Amino acid sequence: MMYLYHYFDRRVGPFRSLTSIPEEEAKEVMEAIRKERPDSQCAKRDKAYVERRRNCEAILRAEFSAKGGIMEIPSPHYMVVGHSPWLSTWYEQVAFIKIPANAFDKKTLSFTYGDSMPTFSPAVNDGKEYRHRLYTYDEILKVIEKYGLPQDWNDDGKFGPERYIEVHVWSDKTIKKYIHPSTSGMLQP
């Protein structure tokens, strides 16, 4: 069974997205992260990160729309396929949520083999077939069968930017079932 993971800082909570808030507010949040949590991976992002992430999401939306995907929210929630040892080091007080893929309407899920930003970056041109490609659930299963999970062969990034399979969840329905305000750490219904 495929499980999707979402990593977060337990002080902030899960499924917080800089692209779901106005740009000026997102910049303020980034500055606060740099000051309050300087050792986190998020604090190391450059000042153009939010703009680049929004541009990438526009590509994801266009690609997923062309494949007939269902997008119920304008900005996706981000998850990964399977446990990612590397992502588990991103936060000073890391926590995660693990949800079976079968809990989602698969028509609301899109995937990139690796993080979507390097996947669609014009700077990454190594000829790998999964570059500049977005996949549906059924399509990513074939890619996994062919290449395996990146975290199994490239968790340290030695062989390229793909360290996990990124999942874009274009609906709140399942996510809301897994968010419990009174708890932190590993959350399950």
Side-chain angles (χ1 to χ4, degrees), residues 14-167:
F15 298 109
R16 302 294 179 111
S17 173
L18 290 170
T19 58
S20 68
I21 57 177
E23 191 160 345
E24 284 307 310
E25 186 179 343
K27 288 177 182 178
E28 291 170 11
V29 169
M30 286 295 298
E31 281 305 311
I33 290 170
R34 285 186 189 96
K35 290 176 185 170
E36 297 165 12
R37 297 186 290 278
D39 295 328
S40 71
Q41 181 73 20
C42 299
K44 297 172 181 142
R45 293 175 170 152
D46 64 38
K47 294 196 183 276
Y49 172 78
V50 175
E51 181 181 343
R52 288 186 300 108
R53 174 53 72 188
R54 287 181 196 277
N55 291 339
C56 185
E57 284 184 6
I59 294 169
L60 297 176
R61 270 192 299 280
E63 294 285 323
F64 199 40
S65 178
K67 290 181 176 274
I70 297 171
M71 292 171 279
E72 298 172 354
I73 55 176
S75 181
H77 297 292
Y78 290 92
M79 300 186 80
V80 296
V81 174
H83 169 63
S84 170
W86 184 59
L87 283 178
S88 70
T89 68
W90 274 32
Y91 303 96
E92 293 173 0
Q93 292 186 26
V94 70
F96 67 91
I97 294 176
K98 175 182 171 184
I99 305 174
N102 291 337
F104 295 92
D105 175 350
K106 293 185 182 69
K107 292 178 184 172
T108 65
L109 302 177
S110 62
F111 302 80
T112 50
Y113 196 83
D115 187 283
S116 57
M117 290 187 58
T119 294
F120 285 102
S121 172
V124 181
N125 291 309
D126 55 15
K128 293 179 180 176
E129 72 173 289
Y130 44 79
R131 295 284 182 251
H132 308 283
R133 301 266 321 262
L134 178 126
Y135 298 98
T136 63
Y137 179 81
D138 291 333
E139 291 170 335
I140 200 64
L141 293 177
K142 294 173 186 167
V143 177
I144 294 170
E145 186 176 315
K146 186 173 185 177
Y147 296 105
L149 296 176
Q151 58 265 43
D152 292 342
W153 59 268
N154 194 39
D155 189 56
D156 61 3
K158 185 166 61 172
F159 300 110
E162 59 277 21
R163 293 181 178 208
Y164 49 81
I165 295 171
E166 187 176 87
V167 186

Side-chain angles (χ1 to χ4, degrees), residues 6 8-16 95-100 172-189:
H6 174 74
F8 60 97
D9 187 304
R10 77 175 68 246
R11 294 169 292 184
V12 176
F15 298 109
R16 302 294 179 111
F96 67 91
I97 294 176
K98 175 182 171 184
I99 305 174
D172 285 329
K173 289 178 184 161
T174 300
I175 298 296
K176 286 181 179 178
K177 295 176 187 175
Y178 284 78
I179 297 175
H180 303 289
S182 64
T183 61
S184 63
M186 187 171 168
L187 308 176
Q188 295 190 7

